[in-house]
Amino acid sequence: MGSAVERLIQKLRTIGDLSQADEALLRGMPVRIAELRKGAIVVADGEVSSRSCLVLDGFMHREKLTPAGGRQILSFHPAGDIPDLQSLHLKKMDYNLVATTECRVAFIEHRDLNAALQKSASLTGLMWRDSLIDAASFRAWMLMLGQGDADERMAHLFCEMFMRLRAIGLARGTTFQFPVTQIEIADALGISTVHANRTLQELRARGLITVERFEVTILDWAALKELAAFDPAYLHFTDENAGK
Amino acid sequence: MGSAVERLIQKLRTIGDLSQADEALLRGMPVRIAELRKGAIVVADGEVSSRSCLVLDGFMHREKLTPAGGRQILSFHPAGDIPDLQSLHLKKMDYNLVATTECRVAFIEHRDLNAALQKSASLTGLMWRDSLIDAASFRAWMLMLGQGDADERMAHLFCEMFMRLRAIGLARGTTFQFPVTQIEIADALGISTVHANRTLQELRARGLITVERFEVTILDWAALKELAAFDPAYLHFTDENAGK
DNA sequence: CGTTGCTTTGAACTAGCTCAAGACCTGTGG
DNA sequence: CCACAGGTCTTGAGCTAGTTCAAAGCAACG
C-alpha cells in the first residue's frame, strides 16, 4: 500500500503493462526515503553513482552547465519519475540532478534494482521502455530548441508538462501545479529570463494559459497544441492515458 | 567473419565488454542486407516498425520536421550504429530515419533480436547501455542548441563525430570522411545554411579545421575542444577508446 | 519591516535570419 | 568532348527576434 514505490508503479502503468509479479518485485525492493531542500544537487555532473532516485513528491530537474556560466535545463520530473535511471548502466553522470522544489525521494541501490530486473525480462523491458521515452522527449525538445520560436517552445513545455502530470493524476481538469520560476523556464527553453517573461505575457494575452502562484491553467488547449505543433505520440502513453 | 553484424560487434566493443557467448548470439541473428539510395527514408515519423536497421556502410541521420517546413537533424549515424534500436520497445516512430548518403544496411527483425536478448542478460544490458549513450548524446546537443553560439555548436559537432568515428576505426589520424552537406549541418545545428557557411569559414580561418570534398581534418584539436567545451565523457567509451 | 529573490519594464544592441543573386561543381545526354 | 541542369556553396545587404544592462516593483519570509 503506502510503500514508496507505489508512485513508480502508477507511473509505469501509464506507459505499459505491469504484471502482478513485476509489481511484487518492485514492492519488494528496499528503498531509503529522504527529504531534499530546494536547490539540493542529488548527483552532480561527473560523479559516479551506485543508486537511482525516485521522486515521491515535489519536482526535480536535470541541468547541464557551460564553462561560460550558462545553464540548460534538460527536463523536469514530477513524482513517479526516476530521472537518473540511466546511471544503472552509465555510472558516471553527465548532468546535475537537482531538487527544483523541496522534495521527498526514495533512493534505490543499483544492486537491488538489478536483482529485481534479473528476475523479470518483462520488467526490464518496461524500465528500458521508460528510458527510451525519456530519449524521445529529448528529441522533441531538440526540435523546439533548434527550430521553434520562443512562444512555440514555451507552449510545447506547457503541453508536455500537462500531459505528463495528467497521466499520473496531478492535474485537476486543465489546471496543474508547476512550481518552477521564470528563470528556470528560461533556462529550459534556451532564452533569457527577460524574454521568457515577455513570452509568458504573450501567451496570457493570447488567452492560451494563465499562471498564478505556480499554478498553470490551460485556457485553450487546441490553440496551445497548435502553436506548439504538439503531438503527444512521442510520450508513448498506453491507450487509456493517450486521451485528448 | 564477414558477417554483417561484425560492424555491430565492433561498435559494441567500444562501449562495453562483449562475451564470446554474446558475440555468438549476435552472429546467429538472421539479417536482411539492403542497399539504400541517398535520401531514402527507411522509416518515417509515425510509422510502426517491427525491425531495426544496422548501418554497415555510409551515413544515416535522424530528423524531425515542423509543420512550418523546418527540419531538425537529431543525430548522424556511421557504420555500426542501430539508429532505430528504440523501436524494439517503442513501436511507433517519432522521427524519420534517412539515408544521408548511399548506404548498405542490415535489417534485424525485432522478433530475432528479442530472442537473442532473451537468452542473455548481459547482452540486454549492453544494448540498453547503447540506447542510454544515445540519450546522453541528445543531452549534449541540447546544451549546445540551448546555450551555444553557432561556432560552438559546429565545433561540438565535429568533436563528437571525430571521437565516434575514430572509435570504430573510421579516422586516419585526425582526418575523417563526413559526407554531409552544409544544408544538413545547418539543420543539425539549428542555424540557417547561410550562417552555417560563414561559421564554417570562420573555423577554417581560425585554423581549427579544414574541409574538402566531405573530408574533414582537425588541425587544432585542443582549440576545437576548448571552443566546443567538449568533454567526451558523455560518450561513455571503454578505457581503450576514451583516449585523447 | 528589511532582506532576498522573483518578476516586470524600458531601451540600446547584436547574432543570426531572409532574400537574392552569382559562382561552382558534377553528373548526364548529345 | 562539350553543354547544360540541378544541386551546393558563397557573398552582400537589410531586417528582426532575442539579448544585455539597468532599474524598479512585488511578494514571501524571518
Side-chain angles (χ1 to χ4, degrees), chain A residues 43 48-52 87-88 91 108-112:
Chain A
V43 220
V48 169
S49 178
S50 63
R51 61 181 190 187
S52 289
S87 64
L88 188 63
K91 294 303 172 191
I108 308 173
E109 294 295 322
H110 289 158
R111 188 184 342 110
D112 299 320

Side-chain angles (χ1 to χ4, degrees), chain A residues 46-214:
Chain A
E47 272 182 32
V48 169
S49 178
S50 63
R51 61 181 190 187
S52 289
C53 173
L54 165 62
V55 185
L56 298 176
D57 242 317
F59 272 75
M60 304 195 74
H61 68 263
R62 299 178 175 130
E63 65 181 26
K64 272 173 101 88
L65 307 176
T66 63
R71 168 174 72 159
Q72 180 63 38
I73 291 183
L74 302 163
S75 50
F76 293 107
H77 299 280
D81 276 11
I82 306 183
D84 60 343
L85 177 60
Q86 92 287 336
S87 64
L88 188 63
H89 289 291
L90 304 180
K91 294 303 172 191
K92 198 167 197 180
M93 295 291 289
D94 58 82
Y95 57 83
N96 293 332
L97 178 57
V98 186
T100 316
T101 64
E102 287 193 358
C103 281
R104 211 162 53 88
V105 301
F107 290 113
I108 308 173
E109 294 295 322
H110 289 158
R111 188 184 342 110
D112 299 320
L113 187 50
N114 267 322
L117 295 181
Q118 212 58 236
K119 291 187 191 133
S120 166
S122 60
L123 186 58
T124 303
L126 190 54
M127 298 292 272
W128 189 350
R129 179 176 161 91
D130 183 59
S131 70
L132 291 170
I133 292 172
D134 198 45
S137 194
F138 290 146
R139 290 192 284 270
W141 284 53
M142 281 180 70
L143 178 65
M144 281 299 109
L145 288 173
Q147 305 297 324
D149 291 344
D151 55 348
E152 296 165 355
R153 297 185 201 184
M154 190 173 284
H156 198 277
L157 175 63
F158 287 124
C159 284
E160 177 176 321
M161 289 318 299
F162 172 56
M163 289 296 285
R164 288 173 52 201
L165 290 169
R166 197 173 55 116
I168 54 165
L170 290 180
R172 273 169 292 109
T174 183
T175 298
F176 56 93
Q177 292 298 124
F178 190 50
V180 160
T181 66
Q182 290 182 17
I183 298 169
E184 286 152 346
I185 292 175
D187 284 350
L189 303 181
I191 61 180
S192 67
T193 30
V194 171
H195 199 54
N197 181 275
R198 297 202 231 259
T199 305
L200 193 53
Q201 286 180 57
E202 190 198 318
L203 294 192
R204 283 197 274 240
R206 290 214 244 165
L208 301 180
I209 57 164
T210 57
V211 187
E212 42 184 282
R213 248 336 262 132
F214 298 135

